[in-house]
């Protein structure tokens, strides 16, 4: 379970909790829904070792995978990666491993979660989000959340939005 530590007002905290709930719901429904997704080529080679120490660099990373987002995150908050992964985290980490990332080495660490509204989602609802999780400005997790598909999460790499 992700624990958010933040100094926000009640309204912003509620938005963060709703987003977190969508992430958890999406992870739990992830298995068996991959056939919905269509692959696209990723001609741009992007290094996950590049520091994402600015919002501009994060937006640029997402754009390099064909994900167009607003220039400002919907939310950014500190999260705690649990020491032990439950089934939800194990499933989420499998998603990360598909794109060359792994949360195992970050167990027990505090990380930053940035959530962006996706502008080029095909659903046309405007509800699709892209999330980036960083530790010491290094990318450790990333996903696209599609609420219209019961909170489906998919990798930012090799997937159509």
């Amino acid at each position: 379970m992700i624990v958010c530590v933040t100094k926000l007002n009640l309204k912003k905290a509620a938005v963060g909790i709703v987003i977190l709930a969508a992430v958890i719901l999406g992870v739990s429904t992830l298995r068996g829904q991959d056939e919905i997704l269509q692959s696209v080529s990723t001609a741009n080679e992007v290094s996950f070792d590049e520091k994402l120490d600015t919002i501009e660099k994060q937006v640029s990373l997402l754009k390099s995978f064909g994900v167009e987002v607003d220039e400002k995150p919907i939310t950014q908050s500190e999260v705690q990666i649990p020491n032990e992964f439950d089934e939800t985290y194990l499933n989420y980490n499998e998603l990360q491993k598909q794109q060359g990332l792994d949360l195992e080495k970050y167990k027990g660490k505090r990380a930053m979660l940035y959530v962006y509204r996706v502008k080029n989602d095909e659903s046309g609802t405007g509800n699709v989000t892209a999330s980036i999780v960083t530790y010491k400005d290094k990318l450790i997790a990333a996903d696209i959340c599609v609420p219209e598909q019961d909170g489906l999460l998919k990798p930012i790499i090799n997937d159509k939005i």
Side-chain angles (χ1 to χ4, degrees), residues 15-31:
V15 169
I17 290 171
V18 169
I19 291 170
L20 183 59
V23 168
I24 291 170
L25 178 62
V27 169
S28 65
T29 60
L30 180 63
R31 296 207 183 261

Side-chain angles (χ1 to χ4, degrees), residues 53-117:
D53 53 353
T54 67
I55 297 299
E56 292 78 17
K57 287 181 181 179
Q58 294 173 12
V59 170
S60 177
L61 174 78
L62 291 167
K63 283 182 181 179
S64 72
F65 292 109
V67 183
E68 297 290 328
V69 296
D70 286 339
E71 299 295 317
K72 184 177 179 187
I74 297 169
T75 185
Q76 58 186 40
S77 56
E78 188 175 57
V79 294
Q80 176 79 40
I81 309 296
N83 288 318
E84 295 297 323
F85 288 175
D86 60 11
E87 183 178 346
T88 301
Y89 256 96
L90 290 171
N91 290 339
Y92 186 70
N93 200 36
E94 285 303 313
L95 172 84
Q96 298 311 314
K97 288 178 180 179
Q98 291 175 19
Q99 53 192 7
L101 301 169
D102 190 353
L103 289 170
E104 281 289 328
K105 11 181 202 189
Y106 303 100
K107 285 182 173 180
K109 306 284 187 196
R110 291 190 180 274
M112 287 299 297
L113 169 67
Y114 301 88
V115 180
Y116 294 88
R117 185 184 72 82

Side-chain angles (χ1 to χ4, degrees), residues 129-149:
T129 59
S131 298
I132 291 178
V133 182
T134 64
Y135 177 73
K136 295 185 178 180
D137 296 325
K138 180 182 178 195
L139 183 69
I140 63 171
D143 63 76
I144 304 293
C145 180
V146 186
E148 288 71 32
Q149 295 177 1

